[in-house]
């Protein structure tokens, strides 16, 4: 990314270094200015930054410096930048800022940004702020807040342009030149009937390229995709992605136009959802880098305790074979290898399956083909690992039988790993449980239990050991 | 998502069911039409589908049906839909289609779609197709193909509107009404100097709201963010996300405008990159649901063999304590629990760290704070797990000492898990290795080796056992 502006004004310290991180020199300068309460210097440095850069700056400052920065920036501070700040930092900062300033600022924000900030506040703070806004602002924001979290209604922008189909292109353009309550940015104009039901849309480039005398009804595109306000944001994101949309109309139950969703908000949703899946697979909840130690420890502990249960279960399987191990300690040395290989193969298959379910690439139409493939992959890789590890065990302990036993156990466990890695996410998905959250604990249980049982059982049988 | 069109024409079988998957009845109808080579029925069913839906349809059909569908759709088939099809399926399908049809279709595509299809072809096929295109198409596509894979230059659209700053709004609008080589969709118009160097841009809504007599130079926004054609697509995606862009100008080394990147392509990049990280963490390469068994088995085996090495290393640690285990078999039963708890905690920290590095939320400015936090979380959760598991072991084996030993070992291993889970991704990142790919093998090695060593070592010491 070339930042053209800072190149033409080289006397300003650049905000980001070559790697895109906040420049250390810049940070030191602004920290010094904040410490000296030098409002002019703070504004000179941060006044022209993009709201996203201001957000990164806030995160980089210490807890005490943050409210001071906002105060020193004064009117130059755009509260929209708070929508880009980590939740924990945002809430803390909002608490320390003067209430009046916060209320005034929220009234001036775009509706979606205002909702984004309001939704995380305590109910009483939310109500206090809402009660002091103008009636029209309050009604608009309250309507968005009434939709459930993570739905289109919560994320939508309630400022948009809606016109009747009988207007001409010229009339529409003239209207836009004089109207003063237009949204900040928009890419299409919606066409509605007298009941405010959505009937179509006109892209701006289409409008620009058409003669002034043409009727809107002649150039509008019939609505192919509209979003219901109660629809989950993940589904909406999938639609944006699939049909390459930049904006989409949001309608209520009666198909009346109530808002518009913009692709930049959807980009954030896509990132959030991908992150959620990634973290969930590793047993981490909705955690942010700025969360406190206790919040993080508690959320991770749940998962660890669940896993402790499955680890104890696997140990119980080992306990069945205590006499077998006593008779041949080499088994204790080798048994974690079988379980570990199964765990790895299982999590490979599981991750692919979870991802394919999330993107709807895996469904009833191809499940049998994918299952067949996973079984074949498990047999092939199981055979390769079995031969390799069989030879290693044979040479290590000078015992051919041990090589055969571990080879057989590995093949068995790889097969179970493939089957459970695919089957468990699919089953969870069928029962309406998010496979990203729950799959790995079940898959690990299968590969541990089967791994230990297969290896120790086959060994006891092969060598005629007690158990 | 409400599909308004199918609601108004209820006689057409809907393409998707309520869950967004391809409707089974639709699929059966089109398969029947393809089997009967009924071009009219195929066109009636699929002719009006969005290119993304056609892509999903192609993936859902069998290998033999795919070229037949394309043939039967005739001119109704939009080759742009191939950009939404899995690579393996696309390549296979392109091989079976008549060469002439492919060449003609590629010549008609938008430049970015054409490049997307061409880049995966064998060099000789690529050259053969390029040689038969018109000179201007060829030069344009070749320039994009000359940029490295996964750069902005490869992904950019080379059709755009560039005007001089001294034009008026009216002149610009008139030009757009008569010009016939305009891009399909665009959201801003670029302003260039006589040397075609980028100096600014005008958003379409701005253009629409301004009087015809105003000069472009008065309303254009100076370029703040432009993308270098050689910039990596992941960095570009980060910029789009950070600054909420819908399109961005791409410039060459001399800052001359060469193309434009659209947000819908960037959305795909974001999805791809998130998917890459997710799969890489589980030891899966760039795998698609349509890949063959051998491709998948081979790519996953590499990872399994690397992990086999670390599993053998962990076993070697156990082997040191063979005599200890022989003297007390309960140790063999409990030892996997310590390693497993460490592995889980390690992968929690590691996943958070890998993600935070990818989004640049983790950097030198906060690394010490995060490290301190991870240590505290490890101590807290380690203590909780230690007490819980200590009690379980004590009751299970009726041996208080065993409870103390496993508790101590768990605390030690949780600490190492936290440190390596954070430290290894950071170190790999410093050395320019992708932490998503390499971290987990190192972290598992640490938690396995430390887990077995701590538990068996402390046990040998505590009970005075041989080793």
């Amino acid at each position: 990314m070339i930042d053209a502006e800072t190149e033409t004004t080289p006397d300003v310290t650049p905000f980001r270094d070559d790697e895109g991180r906040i420049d250390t020199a810049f940070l030191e300068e602004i920290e010094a200015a904040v410490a000296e309460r030098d409002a002019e210097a703070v504004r000179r440095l941060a006044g022209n930054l993009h709201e996203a850069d201001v957000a990164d700056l806030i995160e980089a400052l210490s807890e005490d410096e943050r409210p001071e920065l906002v105060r020193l920036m004064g009117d130059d501070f755009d509260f929209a930048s708070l929508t880009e700040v980590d939740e924990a930092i945002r809430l803390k900062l909002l608490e320390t800022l003067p209430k009046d300033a916060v209320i005034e600022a929220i009234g001036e924000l775009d509706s979606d940004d205002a909702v984004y900030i309001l939704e995380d506040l305590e109910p009483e703070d939310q109500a206090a702020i809402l009660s002091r806004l103008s009636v029209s602002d309050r009604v608009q924001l309250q309507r968005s807040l009434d939709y459930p979290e993570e739905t289109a209604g919560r994320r939508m922008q309630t400022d948009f342009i809606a016109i009747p189909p009988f207007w001409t292109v010229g009339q529409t353009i003239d209207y836009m030149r004089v109207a003063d309550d237009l949204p900040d940015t928009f890419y299409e104009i919606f066409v509605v009937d007298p009941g405010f039901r959505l009937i179509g849309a006109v892209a701006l480039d289409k409008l620009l390229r058409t003669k002034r005398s043409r009727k809107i009804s002649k150039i509008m595109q019939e609505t192919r995709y509209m979003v219901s306000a109660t629809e989950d944001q993940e589904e909406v994101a999938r639609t944006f992605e699939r049909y390459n949309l930049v904006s989409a109309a949001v309608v209520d139950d009666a198909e009346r136009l109530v808002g518009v969703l913009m692709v930049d908000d959807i980009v954030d949703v896509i990132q959030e959802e991908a992150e959620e899946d990634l973290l969930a697979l590793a047993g981490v909840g909705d955690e942010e880098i700025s969360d406190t130690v206790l919040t993080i420890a508690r959320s991770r502990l749940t998962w660890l305790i669940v896993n402790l249960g499955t680890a104890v279960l696997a140990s119980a399987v080992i306990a069945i074979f205590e006499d077998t191990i006593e008779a041949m300690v080499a088994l204790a040395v080798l048994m974690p290898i079988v379980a570990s290989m199964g765990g790895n193969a299982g999590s490979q298959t599981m991750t692919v399956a979870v991802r394919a379910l999330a993107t709807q690439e895996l469904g009833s139409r191809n499940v049998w083909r994918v299952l067949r493939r996973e079984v074949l992959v498990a047999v092939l890789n199981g055979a390769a690992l079995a031969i390799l590890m069989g030879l290693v065990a044979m040479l290590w302990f000078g015992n051919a039988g041990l090589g055969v036993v571990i080879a057989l156990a590995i093949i068995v466990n790889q097969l179970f790993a493939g089957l459970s890695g695919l089957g468990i996410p699919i089953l969870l998905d069928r029962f309406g449980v998010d496979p990203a959250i729950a799959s790995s604990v079940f898959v690990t249980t299968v590969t541990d239990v089967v791994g230990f049982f297969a290896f120790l059982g086959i060994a006891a049988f092969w060598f005629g050991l007690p158990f």
Side-chain angles (χ1 to χ4, degrees), chain A:
Chain A
M1 172 63 35
I2 302 162
D3 191 328
E5 201 179 48
T6 57
E7 277 185 25
T8 52
T9 51
D11 51 321
V12 176
T13 313
F15 178 67
R16 293 187 187 277
D17 61 20
D18 294 343
E19 292 188 5
R21 301 205 163 96
I22 298 183
D23 190 84
T24 322
F26 180 93
L27 197 58
E28 280 166 9
E29 272 185 56
I30 200 141
E31 283 188 309
V34 168
E36 287 165 18
R37 292 166 200 270
D38 180 349
E40 202 194 320
V42 168
R43 279 196 209 148
R44 184 173 44 78
L45 285 162
N48 285 317
L49 291 178
H50 188 280
E51 57 182 61
D53 292 334
V54 175
D56 282 0
L57 176 60
I58 289 175
E59 290 181 359
L61 293 178
S62 74
E63 216 168 276
D64 301 331
E65 291 166 339
R66 288 170 193 149
E68 200 58 31
L69 174 85
V70 175
R71 200 183 64 78
L72 290 168
M73 281 182 72
D75 285 346
D76 280 358
F77 182 77
D78 182 353
F79 271 68
S81 61
L82 289 183
T83 62
E84 315 265 347
V85 171
D86 269 4
E87 185 183 335
I89 296 177
R90 180 171 64 243
L91 291 178
K92 191 93 192 174
L93 179 56
L94 282 172
E95 268 174 32
T96 45
L97 290 175
K99 272 266 176 324
D100 286 338
V102 172
I103 291 166
E104 194 190 332
I106 285 181
E108 283 169 14
L109 288 176
D110 280 349
S111 62
D112 54 342
D113 289 340
V115 168
Y116 194 90
I117 291 177
L118 283 172
E119 66 180 358
D120 292 328
L121 297 182
E122 298 293 331
E124 55 268 34
D125 290 341
Q126 215 183 73
I129 292 176
L130 282 173
S131 71
R132 293 183 47 190
L133 293 175
S134 75
V135 177
S136 70
D137 280 350
R138 184 167 66 232
V139 169
Q140 226 176 27
L141 295 182
Q142 191 60 57
R143 185 163 63 172
S144 283
L145 285 167
D146 286 343
Y147 287 110
E149 267 185 59
E150 310 210 330
T151 59
R154 269 289 177 94
R155 286 282 144 270
M156 70 190 180
Q157 163 82 46
T158 51
D159 301 320
F160 50 81
I161 304 178
I163 57 169
F166 51 79
W167 277 22
T168 63
V169 168
Q171 240 177 318
T172 308
I173 293 180
D174 293 342
Y175 163 72
M176 289 199 290
R177 287 210 181 114
V178 296
D180 54 0
D181 60 341
L182 297 183
D184 274 359
T185 34
F186 54 97
Y187 315 112
E188 54 185 350
I189 292 170
F190 298 105
V191 186
V192 291
D193 70 9
F196 227 74
R197 268 190 304 273
L198 182 69
I199 50 183
V202 181
L204 294 189
D205 54 352
K206 185 84 183 175
L207 201 64
L208 274 166
R209 283 187 275 184
T210 309
K211 293 226 153 46
R212 284 180 62 89
S213 54
R214 291 271 283 177
K215 277 239 160 51
I216 290 294
S217 56
K218 298 281 179 204
I219 62 163
M220 74 172 196
Q221 273 218 307
E222 256 185 69
T223 307
R224 290 191 73 163
Y225 312 105
M226 49 188 171
V227 173
S228 153
T230 51
E231 195 168 328
D232 186 86
Q233 60 176 8
E234 192 170 3
E235 268 177 67
V236 178
R238 204 144 50 201
T239 308
F240 264 79
E241 210 197 335
R242 187 182 280 148
Y243 300 117
N244 297 333
L245 306 179
V246 285
S247 62
V250 182
V251 295
D252 65 11
D253 291 341
E255 291 200 13
R256 273 186 310 251
L257 184 61
V258 291
V260 53
L261 274 168
M262 297 298 209
V263 69
D264 56 319
D265 297 320
I266 296 301
V267 165
D268 295 340
V269 170
I270 291 175
Q271 279 285 27
E272 273 172 39
E273 297 288 343
E275 181 159 321
E276 264 178 40
D277 280 359
L278 180 76
L279 295 178
L281 274 172
V284 184
D286 184 15
E287 172 177 315
E288 292 189 49
I289 203 95
S290 59
D291 283 345
T292 63
V293 170
L294 268 181
T295 315
I296 289 177
R298 203 169 36 211
S299 97
R300 290 194 199 165
L301 187 60
T302 321
W303 174 256
L304 291 174
I305 287 176
V306 172
N307 268 283
L308 184 61
T310 78
V312 170
L313 188 67
S315 287
V317 173
I318 303 175
I320 303 174
F321 296 95
E322 262 190 272
D323 296 343
T324 322
I325 293 172
E326 195 150 24
M328 194 176 198
V329 179
L331 297 179
V333 174
L334 291 175
M335 66 184 186
I337 295 177
V338 180
S340 158
M341 285 295 95
N344 283 320
S347 91
Q348 286 180 329
T349 306
M350 178 188 78
T351 307
V352 172
V354 166
R355 181 69 195 170
L357 284 169
T359 57
Q360 298 195 329
E361 283 184 288
L362 179 60
S364 45
R365 66 184 161 82
N366 61 355
V367 65
W368 294 108
R369 194 170 56 74
V370 174
L371 184 70
R372 191 180 131 263
R373 190 193 70 181
E374 286 301 327
V375 169
L376 287 174
V377 168
V379 169
L380 281 174
N381 284 354
L385 292 173
I387 292 170
L388 196 62
M389 190 58 219
L391 288 173
V392 170
M394 213 176 276
L395 295 172
W396 186 356
F397 292 92
N399 182 334
L402 210 51
V404 174
V405 168
I406 200 168
L408 289 175
I410 284 178
I411 291 176
V412 169
N413 206 22
Q414 290 291 306
L415 207 54
F416 274 85
L419 290 175
S420 63
L422 180 67
I424 288 170
I426 291 178
L427 279 180
L428 290 170
D429 190 50
R430 286 275 156 86
F431 288 111
V433 181
D434 182 356
I437 292 177
S439 290
S440 82
V441 75
F442 288 108
V443 173
T444 317
T445 308
V446 170
T447 55
D448 275 0
V449 166
V450 172
F452 290 131
F453 195 88
F455 179 61
L456 296 172
I458 294 173
F461 181 79
W462 184 276
F463 295 111
L465 298 174
F467 66 90

